[in-house]
Amino acid sequence: MVNERVGVNQPSVDGEKKAGQQQTWKPEVYDKEMAFVSAFGAPLIDLLQVKPGETVIDWGCGSGDLASAIAEKGAHVAGIDFSASMIDSARAKYPTLKFEVADGQRFVAPEPVDAIFSNAALHWMTDAAGVAASMAASLKPGGRLVVEFGGHGNIQAVTDALREAFDAIGVSQPYQSPWYFPTIGEYGMVLQQAGFEVNSAILFDRPTKQANGDNGLRGWLATFADGILSVLPAEEADAVVRWAEERLRPALYSNGEWNVDYRRLRVTATRK
Ligand code: BEZ
């Protein structure tokens, strides 16, 4: 079995939850409504330049689609994710691959691997130094890192609108962002301090079309802002969503579809 060669250690999930970890993931909704997440990951796999037989970890693998695509190129792949429901789904979809529940801010692979890959996951891990140290400790010297996630300015219009909605409506809880969206300079420094040499870094706008027409923003918020909205009473959460829709419609809605203002940070690096 090709994928038995990459081991993962015991989950290092502890009892204390951070803001992003309030987030509940529903794999069936994620796979159906948010299929763009994996679809946009395909060019990143090309950057990884997988060599048959090498070992790779997908750091924040979600329901496993990209881990599977990497395995199809001949690598021995393991996937880690903080969400137990996502890992259950990944195991059910790809039973020959190895998936474990683990906190990417602390996880260390029992055997260092040749490459680490991560798509649309690192912005959920706000302890960036912890992530970088964990990834460095999990890679062989000379090992490759290929990551893409939300960079500085990512979903700026959406987060501004949510923050304003909390103030305008006077909701009962303070607004707390669960996300980390660094600049190239900030993230380059984090990686260098953990023992990486940064080979390339780009920050680019990637407006991202949502399914479900007029309900697209509502669906996006239900999936991805669950950690922000679920702490509110239902009527307050509903008012925030309606307020945000009204506020964002002129900028993000046209021709019957919502385009969320994604901005990606794509980095390749080598462990020294
Ligand atoms: C992102 O992929 O950039 C993203 C997705 C959900 C919430 C925040 C950011």
Side-chain angles (χ1 to χ4, degrees), residues 12-14 16-21 59-60 80-82 102-108 121-138 178-180:
S12 54
V13 179
D14 60 21
E16 193 189 324
K17 284 197 159 190
K18 303 215 169 62
Q21 296 169 348
W59 212 268
I80 60 162
D81 202 283
F82 191 77
D103 181 350
Q105 301 168 124
R106 288 171 205 158
F107 171 80
V108 175
L122 298 186
H123 47 249
W124 293 101
M125 304 178 204
T126 53
D127 177 6
V131 173
S134 300
M135 294 192 303
S138 298
W179 301 305
Y180 167 69

Side-chain angles (χ1 to χ4, degrees), residues 25 36-37 120-121 123-124 149-151 154-155 179 181 206 220 224-225 262-264:
W25 293 99
F36 65 85
V37 178
H123 47 249
W124 293 101
F149 60 106
N154 191 44
I155 59 164
W179 301 305
F181 300 137
R206 197 203 67 200
W220 188 94
F224 292 125
Y262 278 37
R263 180 179 280 180
R264 314 321 282 167

Side-chain angles (χ1 to χ4, degrees), residues 6 48 50 54-58 70 75-78 113-117:
V6 188
L48 188 62
V50 175
E54 70 178 357
T55 49
V56 179
I57 297 178
D58 183 350
I70 294 168
H76 306 287
V77 184
V113 294
D114 295 302
I116 290 176
F117 172 91

Side-chain angles (χ1 to χ4, degrees), residues 33 49 59 98 119 147 162 166 170 172 248 264:
E33 316 279 343
Q49 297 189 308
W59 212 268
K98 210 167 179 66
N119 178 55
V147 299
L162 287 173
F166 268 59
S172 49
L248 291 168
R264 314 321 282 167

